Amino acid sequence: MLTVQKYGGTSVGTLERIREVAKRVAKTKESGSDVVVVVSAMSGETNKLIQMANSFSENPKRREMDLLLSSGERVTSALLAILLTEMGYETIAMSGRQAGIITDGVHTKARIEHIDRTHIEKELKKGLIVVVAGFQGITEIGEVSTLGRGGSDLSAVAIAGALEADICEIYTDVDGIYTTDPRIVPKAKKLKQISYDEMLELASLGAKVLQTRSVELAKKLNVNLVTRSSFNDNEGTLITKEEGIMEKPLVSGIAIDKNQARVTLRGVSDKPGIAAEIFRKLADEGVNVDMIIQNVGVDGATNLGFTVPQDELELTRKSMEEIEASQSLEFDKHVVKVSVVGVGMKSHSGVACTAFDTLADENINIEMISTSEIKISMVIHEKYGELAVRALHDAYKLDK
Ligand code: ADP
Ligand code: ASP
Ligand code: MG
């Protein structure tokens, strides 16, 4: 039996919390399972490092950012290994490089290309507990890389996949996946299980409880993923294949993404190639464009709107400077995206109407809409974001 456990920032936020983590790891080892632990930096640490860099430079080189940010996870991995050793458990801490995590060269947003499993396996065979610093890897030319915010989830899933672990447990500060962020709707309900696809939508639509790419990879590698709390022993949420879930709810959850900004281009010439030019530029810069809306053209001109992550707005602004249509650019940071997610939508109609009715009843104006087979997303003014989440949660009776 092999268990991979990942502990997030709040779970290792203080020395006392690290002691609690060590106890849980020890208990798992005692139960007869081999254990690989993946740790985040202590909560707030990554943000603090970013702030320090920004006090010297608005646009620090990404290579140096990676070297800087990867340090947080090294601290916790070493501390936990020191403690476990002291408790009498033979343990070894590893950085991303030492764990054989090979990534591409896109600094601060690197993708894992493969994992050389021999490094971890060798230690497991000797009976050691292996503690890996999450969120980081090494490029083919030996540069330190990081995997994007929340990336320790991805480290854990990738390691679980590479080692064919029996289970990958993600320990955090909530009991599992809820129908919506329990900080916004305290009466939100914990889900016993959720499909990879729904979780993928919830994560990519703003539920930061799991990093989107980690869910993507878990689905691809069929990793048995469980989210649970490091603060209690409650049963968590299993993220699994849709076929494994007996009762498919119409709507599983509501997500809110506050890291959104809307870009509008007015009076763009309505001719072939304009959209291609704009979105090629943005893609080249690595901007994540989301909702795209183009109106029907009038008199040879049209309006084009799309959303980007708020923290990529500067990059968007810069990369659009040379585009002919850029004179008519407008930016709006005061928006949020609220989404309703559920596999049941595939086979039922009327789900979207309920969402629109609900927001209308609250007098909330919907600025943009997009849908897929299993989700409806709406961009609204930020001041109504949490109200919309609560109203939608009630409308779909998710607390029942
Ligand atoms: P960690 O530091 O352990 O990685 P995160 O802060 O990244 O933890 O993620 C946990 C947080 O995700 C919770 O505290 C909760 O506020 C938030 N969250 C958002 N949506 C949900 C949801 N649907 N279910 C559970 N938690 C959610
Ligand atoms: N420490 C990193 C972050 O805050 C990675 C993680 O916690 O998963 O984004
Ligand atoms: Mg996280």
Side-chain angles (χ1 to χ4, degrees):
M1 166 98 180
L2 171 62
T3 306
V4 173
Q5 298 184 330
K6 177 257 170 176
Y7 292 92
T10 34
S11 301
V12 293
T14 61
L15 296 184
E16 209 30 64
R17 290 299 317 157
I18 294 178
R19 267 184 218 284
E20 293 303 315
V21 166
K23 281 187 207 157
R24 197 180 289 266
V25 172
K27 204 168 128 193
T28 312
K29 179 74 181 162
E30 293 289 347
S31 76
S33 179
D34 284 336
V35 193
V36 177
V37 186
V38 175
V39 285
S40 282
M42 294 167 95
S43 60
E45 193 56 33
T46 309
N47 287 340
K48 205 153 81 193
L49 293 169
I50 293 173
Q51 269 169 19
M52 284 198 256
N54 286 342
S55 67
F56 289 149
S57 164
E58 255 177 41
N59 194 13
K61 269 174 50 197
R62 293 189 186 189
R63 176 188 178 279
E64 274 64 35
M65 284 309 282
D66 274 349
L67 206 57
L68 177 69
L69 298 189
S70 61
S71 67
E73 271 69 11
R74 285 176 171 234
V75 170
T76 38
S77 60
L79 283 175
L80 179 61
I82 289 168
L83 176 56
L84 281 163
T85 306
E86 189 63 25
M87 288 161 64
Y89 296 91
E90 273 199 276
T91 304
I92 182 167
M94 294 183 178
S95 68
R97 176 181 66 79
Q98 290 168 322
I101 299 175
I102 317 297
T103 75
D104 65 16
V106 185
H107 283 294
T108 72
K109 279 194 197 178
R111 289 190 161 266
I112 297 180
E113 288 190 333
H114 85 111
I115 293 187
D116 178 357
R117 52 191 265 179
T118 55
H119 299 251
I120 298 178
E121 248 168 10
K122 194 169 114 209
E123 306 302 334
L124 288 178
K125 278 212 186 89
K126 290 191 266 176
L128 270 67
I129 296 173
V130 179
V131 183
V132 181
F135 179 52
Q136 57 187 276
I138 194 89
T139 70
E140 305 236 295
I141 56 167
E143 297 277 19
V144 175
S145 53
T146 64
L147 310 176
R149 296 309 303 268
S152 296
D153 295 335
L154 181 63
S155 307
V157 169
I159 289 171
L163 296 175
E164 294 161 61
D166 298 275
I167 186 162
C168 179
E169 298 174 325
I170 307 287
Y171 285 93
T172 180
D173 55 4
V174 281
D175 288 359
I177 311 300
Y178 280 71
T179 46
T180 193
D181 189 340
R183 288 178 207 261
I184 298 176
V185 182
K187 65 179 178 183
K189 251 181 74 176
K190 186 173 75 184
L191 302 166
K192 253 186 128 58
Q193 36 188 5
I194 184 169
S195 68
Y196 289 121
D197 288 328
E198 286 171 302
M199 191 62 236
L200 198 54
E201 290 283 9
L202 283 177
S204 69
L205 295 168
K208 68 166 189 164
V209 58
L210 283 175
Q211 193 214 31
T212 307
R213 280 163 52 201
S214 73
V215 184
E216 215 167 46
L217 190 65
K219 179 185 175 190
K220 188 168 148 204
L221 303 178
N222 215 350
V223 171
N224 225 344
L225 195 60
V226 172
T227 310
R228 47 189 301 197
S229 169
S230 68
F231 292 78
N232 58 48
D233 284 322
N234 297 349
E235 204 185 315
T237 302
L238 174 69
I239 297 122
T240 186
K241 285 193 245 182
E242 190 182 325
E243 303 86 74
I245 297 174
M246 296 289 278
E247 272 182 78
K248 295 190 181 67
L250 197 57
V251 168
S252 296
I254 315 283
I256 179 168
D257 188 346
K258 297 181 178 174
N259 179 26
Q260 288 281 307
R262 191 182 48 177
V263 182
T264 313
L265 282 140
R266 295 197 192 282
V268 187
S269 350
D270 200 8
K271 61 180 189 207
I274 294 288
E277 185 193 359
I278 293 169
F279 295 116
R280 165 58 46 214
K281 267 255 152 47
L282 294 173
D284 287 347
E285 288 298 327
V287 175
N288 273 309
V289 175
D290 183 27
M291 286 184 174
I292 302 175
I293 288 182
Q294 182 173 339
N295 295 354
V296 177
V298 179
D299 298 333
T302 184
N303 296 337
L304 183 67
F306 55 90
T307 59
V308 296
Q310 220 172 87
D311 48 19
E312 292 176 9
L313 197 55
E314 267 321 299
L315 199 59
T316 306
R317 218 191 282 266
K318 276 218 185 79
S319 50
M320 295 195 56
E321 267 166 10
E322 301 137 42
I323 292 178
E324 182 200 337
S326 64
Q327 294 89 332
S328 59
L329 267 182
E330 282 168 30
F331 299 97
D332 184 1
K333 277 189 179 183
H334 303 286
V335 294
V336 294
K337 183 170 62 185
V338 175
S339 308
V340 178
V341 174
V343 281
M345 281 183 214
K346 283 187 201 172
S347 48
H348 286 78
S349 54
V351 178
C353 292
T354 306
F356 304 150
D357 283 341
T358 306
L359 297 200
D361 287 346
E362 297 290 342
N363 242 325
I364 300 172
N365 185 41
I366 304 175
E367 300 177 16
M368 291 169 114
I369 299 172
S370 80
T371 62
S372 79
E373 230 185 356
I374 65 166
K375 71 122 200 266
I376 305 150
S377 294
M378 294 157 289
V379 170
I380 60 177
H381 195 282
E382 64 179 2
K383 69 181 169 197
Y384 302 121
E386 297 198 356
L387 170 64
V389 172
R390 280 191 290 270
L392 291 165
H393 198 268
D394 280 343
Y396 294 106
K397 300 188 172 58
L398 293 181
D399 55 331
K400 296 286 155 20

